[in-house]
Amino acid sequence: MMAGGERAMAALIEPHIPALRRFAWALLRDRTAADDLVQDCLERAISSWHFRRHEADAKAWLFAILHNLFRMGRRSASRRGHALPLDEQGDEGLQVADPTADQAAEHRLIWRDTLIALEALPEDQRVVLLLVGVEDFSYDAAAQLTGVPVGTVMSRLSRGRERLRRLIAGDSTVDLARPPLRRVK
């Protein structure tokens, strides 16, 4: 039997688990690793529940925990030299209402190409694009989650959207090794 405080905690956390899984999968592109990341996030959230500011948004707090765990995992993986495989079967988020077989195949190809292009974005742009574009966080909330100023979020979002558009369109001038830099006078 759950106590009242545990019920309240579960009521605040549970509605956000699907969005946490979607965000983790988009970051990692590996279902098992994403589920592990969400599990670690939920364990951290439950064990640190008493540190949470009660007036703060639980969703933003959970996403901040997940993002920080992701970044820590990336740092340790880069020290180990571990590479994450690109999942070619990544169409589980696609939902189309009664398409014909040809339309479904086309939608899967578009979805796959979009995910591949998203994966090609620099991590800072991809994270902001996912937070604002997919998870519907405000610029302010995304800035707090990532620990950067709002202007930086807006800049990363703009550059990420433009680069994503160019990658999806097949623009061969997009340099995948480096994000484009602009000269500022």
Side-chain angles (χ1 to χ4, degrees):
M1 183 64 77
M2 274 201 269
E6 290 173 346
R7 270 192 224 103
M9 177 177 47
L12 285 173
I13 291 176
E14 282 181 30
H16 304 298
I17 292 173
L20 289 168
R21 290 186 74 213
R22 183 175 50 242
F23 183 56
W25 184 85
L27 291 173
L28 296 170
R29 299 288 305 277
D30 178 326
R31 185 178 302 189
T32 303
D35 286 344
D36 289 345
L37 180 61
V38 171
Q39 179 69 28
D40 292 344
C41 171
L42 294 174
E43 287 176 7
R44 177 84 46 98
I46 290 169
S47 67
S48 303
W49 190 255
H50 57 282
F51 292 120
R52 186 180 78 84
R53 291 186 314 220
H54 295 288
E55 69 278 357
D57 180 23
K59 181 180 180 184
W61 185 67
L62 290 167
F63 271 78
I65 292 171
L66 188 129
H67 182 250
N68 288 335
L69 288 170
F70 167 74
R71 287 182 28 211
M72 288 187 320
R74 278 287 195 198
R75 280 195 295 267
S76 66
S78 69
R79 285 191 297 268
R80 287 189 310 264
H82 179 16
L84 295 173
L86 180 63
D87 179 14
E88 290 293 326
Q89 303 299 321
D91 62 351
E92 68 234 17
L94 180 64
Q95 295 184 5
V96 181
D98 294 322
T100 66
D102 290 340
Q103 288 173 326
E106 182 179 349
H107 284 284
R108 278 194 300 276
L109 289 173
I110 291 169
W111 181 250
R112 188 203 64 201
D113 291 347
T114 302
L115 290 174
I116 290 170
L118 187 64
E119 182 70 23
L121 291 177
E123 182 181 313
D124 58 346
Q125 292 176 6
R126 185 173 65 243
V127 166
V128 170
L129 232 161
L130 290 169
L131 288 173
V132 174
V134 177
E135 299 304 333
D136 205 28
F137 278 98
S138 68
Y139 292 163
D140 290 332
Q144 289 177 343
L145 286 171
T146 56
V148 297
V150 174
T152 302
V153 167
M154 293 167 62
S155 174
R156 288 178 182 175
L157 184 62
S158 175
R159 287 192 319 264
R161 283 177 175 161
E162 179 57 30
R163 190 169 183 169
L164 187 62
R165 267 189 226 102
R166 291 175 63 198
L167 286 168
I168 291 171
D171 187 345
S172 61
T173 63
V174 178
D175 181 10
L176 295 177
R178 271 189 9 223
L181 297 176
R182 292 187 294 198
R183 186 176 204 155
V184 179
K185 293 185 180 184

